[in-house]
Amino acid sequence: MSKEPLVHISKREEMPLAKAVMVRLVAVLLSLIVCAFVIFILTKLNPVEVYKAIFDGAVGTSRRSWVTIRDSLILLCVAIGLTPAFKMRFWNIGAEGQILMGGCVTAAVMIYAGDSMPTPVMFAVMIAASIAAGLIWGLIPAVFKAVWNTNETLFTLMLNYVAMQIVTFCIVFWENPAGSNTVGIINSKTKIGWLPSLGGLTYGWNVVIVLLLTVGMFVYLKYSKQGYEIAVVGESENTARYVGISVKKVIMRTMAISGAICGLAGFILVSGSSHTISTSTAGGRGFTAIIVAWLSKFNTFTMILVSFFLVFMQKGALQIASQFKLNENASDVITGIILFFILGSEFFINYQLHFRKKSTKS
């Protein structure tokens, strides 16, 4: 007679929000304790001093704080763009390319049309062009998926490299100075095409644009008919077809929206942040945003906190490297440990363990 397994795992009913938050906080606390041991064992440094350096590197000064906020907003924008596609179970790994295409057309408008149109019109053209470029780059794999059922993961991933080659081709014509193989800061003297400050805040428009997207996407997914269709298709395409939803239409429409928002992130990067374009403009954000979206369970407001945390740790890496003369990968180790504990906490929120009871002999 076979024995009952020592541990049995079962799906939980929905855990109360307060209890779920407590589980996550305990996970973060435990991760910091483990990180402290790792820091001391590897570097013999005081963990508290390392934590202080990370904090100082991310928000130690007003400028550092705003740079952290700026980069958090861009990461948040990309995560918002990926959210509808991932909720539909369409694995859009092509955000990097969609960002690059949006940034490339933004740079083109700044270079070629900066002196030929009024500023408000130019910004409208840049926004429209970046959205259109990202939309097209997202729609291409969606059409192939909807019509020929191609693998969207490979398709979107390969389009990243195509976008990089397009940017490389454009740089040949936009080199500044000539022979440098870089575009340099576009319109550095006139600042034509640069997003202006808002209320005295250098990145004020970045904040406005991304927060509007955050609220808009939350409402779209939760309360609109199209958001409902995305959820149904994500759960089961057969069920969606049974209730009369056009799966092909939903796939193409959703990926058009996803690509468009990622393209807009390219506009924010070029016009509102770096003011240049290169093959590294996206900076891996298209992949990091996948982590943000999944950790947040596609809740756009939760994404604000996750995006800030990841960028906070990235900025702290630079401070660690300079202050303690360590490789900046040390901060990546800390970030990885914390993410491991946070991801682990999600298991205990969604599942519960039942241990085999000792049998009592009568």
Side-chain angles (χ1 to χ4, degrees):
M1 184 175 181
S2 60
K3 290 185 178 181
E4 184 184 348
L6 179 62
V7 180
H8 175 66
I9 302 173
S10 65
K11 180 78 174 176
R12 284 185 188 272
E13 295 183 7
E14 188 172 353
M15 181 179 284
L17 179 61
K19 190 174 180 180
V21 171
M22 183 60 65
V23 171
R24 294 186 180 102
L25 289 176
V26 170
V28 171
L29 180 61
L30 290 174
S31 69
L32 292 176
I33 294 172
V34 172
C35 286
F37 280 106
V38 171
I39 290 168
F40 180 76
I41 292 171
L42 295 180
T43 66
K44 307 302 181 185
L45 295 171
N46 184 338
V48 176
E49 293 301 318
V50 174
Y51 288 146
K52 284 182 179 178
I54 293 174
F55 185 87
D56 183 57
V59 293
T61 65
S62 176
R63 174 170 173 74
R64 289 176 182 174
S65 297
W66 272 107
V67 169
T68 299
I69 291 172
R70 178 198 69 188
D71 291 351
S72 300
L73 289 169
I74 296 170
L75 180 61
L76 173 61
C77 183
V78 181
I80 290 169
L82 291 176
T83 294
F86 274 78
K87 191 166 185 179
M88 188 180 61
R89 298 297 190 268
F90 187 104
W91 312 120
N92 180 13
I93 315 298
E96 291 276 305
Q98 293 148 24
I99 294 168
L100 283 176
M101 294 307 296
C104 188
V105 296
T106 299
V109 174
M110 292 171 67
I111 292 169
Y112 293 118
D115 298 326
S116 60
M117 60 179 66
T119 299
V121 175
M122 183 180 60
F123 278 115
V125 170
M126 285 194 296
I127 291 173
S130 64
I131 289 174
L135 185 151
I136 293 170
W137 221 244
L139 191 58
I140 292 172
V143 170
F144 276 79
K145 173 69 174 181
V147 178
W148 294 289
N149 195 31
T150 57
N151 185 301
E152 72 273 14
T153 303
L154 292 176
F155 206 126
T156 53
L157 183 63
M158 288 188 293
L159 281 178
N160 290 337
Y161 298 99
V162 177
M164 290 174 66
Q165 293 305 313
I166 292 174
V167 171
T168 301
F169 178 79
C170 291
I171 290 174
V172 173
F173 297 95
W174 299 342
E175 279 185 328
N176 185 25
S180 65
N181 199 33
T182 62
V183 177
I185 302 300
I186 302 172
N187 301 334
S188 58
K189 294 182 179 178
T190 62
K191 296 188 178 180
I192 294 175
W194 294 24
L195 271 178
S197 60
L198 178 65
L201 302 177
T202 304
Y203 305 115
W205 281 110
N206 298 30
V207 175
V208 171
I209 294 170
V210 177
L211 289 186
L212 285 175
L213 284 173
T214 303
V215 176
M217 183 58 70
F218 179 84
V219 173
Y220 175 76
L221 291 176
K222 192 170 181 65
Y223 298 108
S224 73
K225 178 186 175 183
Q226 293 183 6
Y228 169 75
E229 291 176 344
I230 289 171
V232 174
V233 172
E235 289 295 324
S236 170
E237 290 187 7
N238 290 330
T239 302
R241 293 188 184 96
Y242 180 78
V243 298
I245 296 174
S246 173
V247 174
K248 291 182 179 180
K249 181 179 177 182
V250 173
I251 289 174
M252 290 188 284
R253 181 183 65 211
T254 304
M255 269 304 292
I257 294 172
S258 180
I261 295 175
C262 290
L264 185 62
F267 160 78
I268 296 173
L269 269 168
V270 174
S271 177
S273 178
S274 66
H275 311 120
T276 189
I277 183 71
S278 72
T279 54
S280 60
T281 291
R285 293 178 178 88
F287 301 113
T288 307
I290 297 173
I291 300 174
V292 174
W294 277 102
L295 279 179
S296 306
K297 294 187 175 179
F298 309 126
N299 183 308
T300 57
F301 293 113
T302 306
M303 289 178 197
I304 297 174
L305 297 176
V306 178
S307 298
F308 181 81
F309 167 74
L310 291 179
V311 174
F312 181 94
M313 295 304 297
Q314 289 168 1
K315 298 301 179 185
L318 299 175
Q319 185 67 18
I320 289 177
S322 61
Q323 184 170 330
F324 299 109
K325 294 182 173 52
L326 297 175
N327 190 304
E328 60 186 64
N329 290 330
S331 183
D332 292 336
V333 172
I334 296 172
T335 304
I337 293 172
I338 295 173
L339 287 176
F340 177 82
F341 273 83
I342 294 175
L343 288 170
S345 72
E346 295 300 317
F347 173 83
F348 292 101
I349 290 172
N350 294 309
Y351 298 92
Q352 54 185 338
L353 303 178
H354 303 276
F355 292 92
R356 185 178 65 203
K357 296 181 179 179
K358 291 184 178 180
S359 59
T360 55
K361 294 182 179 180
S362 55

